[in-house]
Every structure is written in C-alpha cells, then in structure tokens.
Amino acid sequence: MRRGWDMHVDFGLKHPAFYLLMYGTDRPGRRPPAARAAREHLMTFLDRAADGRLRVPPALAAHLTLAAVAGVTLSLIGAPESDRDPEVSTRMREALIDTLTTDAGPAPDATLATRALALDATLSDADPATVPLRPVETALLRDWLRQLAH
C-alpha cells in the first residue's frame, strides 16, 4: 500500500498535466477511465488484504484511499516546488493506513465483521466453478457478508 501510494504521488508530481487529465473531471458523476482503472486495481489488492487486515469493507477502503491520495497529489501539484513539504504525503499515507488496517492477521477470536470480510475476500478470489452456489446465490451471500461487515 505504501509503495502504491508513493508511486501515485510521484507520478502526479512528475507529470502534473497528465495527472489532471487522468484523475480530474469537471462533470459530476463521471470518472475518467484512468481513475476507474486505478480503482479496479486497488480493489483487487484490497480484496486480497481483507482477510482480517482491513477494518472496513474493501470498497470503502478503496474510496478513502483514492480520495486521500488524489487530494494529497493535487495539493502538492498546486504548491510551488519550494513550498512542497514531503511530510504531507507521508503523514497522510500513514494516517490512512493506520485507520484502514489492523496490525496483524485475523485473531483466533476474530469479530463477526472481520470474518465476514475474510469470507467475502475468499469468494471474490475463488473460481466460480469451484463455488457450490449459483452465481445469483453467491452474489446474495456476498451482499449479506458486506452487511455483516458494517
């Protein structure tokens, strides 16, 4: 997560005009294709991390992460180079990671929410042919698991 954050901010600072095209929009409700692809990539990562490492559902973690990293990057782009404080990105990144993640994998007495997130992540990684449920049943189960995780 740290490496991905740092790469994101570094890219934005090295290519500010391109970054604005990739992540900015002037149309509410429309996300540029690059931002959608970044979210999908982040969701794949977070779905794998949900096995007791996330305090919140992966979709919320992705939304918070992208909002924070884009905000930091745009803030740094808007500041004169001489005024950019690299601590802003590092501190925001660490605050977000501390908020979203636990210190360890699932404990033996994991909460219902943690277990629900772990099963949801397992189902998302599973080959549908190996799941003994119909797709509609799997979708319903995953919906219930997300509700339990709240």
Side-chain angles (χ1 to χ4, degrees):
M1 216 168 161
R2 285 176 181 88
R3 186 173 56 238
W5 177 287
D6 292 343
M7 287 171 39
H8 186 104
V9 172
D10 187 56
F11 175 84
L13 294 176
K14 287 181 178 173
H15 310 282
F18 196 52
Y19 185 86
L20 290 171
L21 287 173
M22 292 175 67
Y23 290 94
T25 184
D26 62 349
R27 296 182 218 156
R30 302 238 5 230
R31 182 177 294 156
R36 280 195 309 270
R39 185 184 187 288
E40 290 170 12
H41 182 70
L42 182 59
M43 279 300 300
T44 299
F45 169 77
L46 291 171
D47 277 337
R48 282 182 280 157
D51 63 348
R53 297 296 312 244
L54 288 179
R55 296 178 194 269
V56 300
L60 178 58
H63 188 92
L64 293 169
T65 300
L66 289 172
V69 75
V72 164
T73 305
L74 291 170
S75 173
L76 291 172
I77 288 171
E81 259 188 85
S82 60
D83 292 345
R84 289 181 187 160
D85 182 356
E87 280 295 304
V88 170
S89 178
T90 303
R91 286 178 181 265
M92 180 63 83
R93 181 194 68 206
E94 292 307 310
L96 183 78
I97 290 172
D98 287 347
T99 298
L100 298 180
T101 62
T102 63
D103 291 334
D109 61 340
T111 66
L112 176 61
T114 301
R115 291 177 181 180
L117 285 171
L119 181 54
D120 185 43
T122 301
L123 281 171
S124 74
D125 288 341
D127 176 2
T130 65
V131 177
L133 299 171
R134 292 177 294 185
V136 69
E137 293 168 330
T138 303
L140 182 59
L141 175 58
R142 292 193 69 206
D143 182 58
W144 288 340
L145 290 170
R146 290 182 193 120
Q147 291 297 319
L148 288 171
H150 289 300

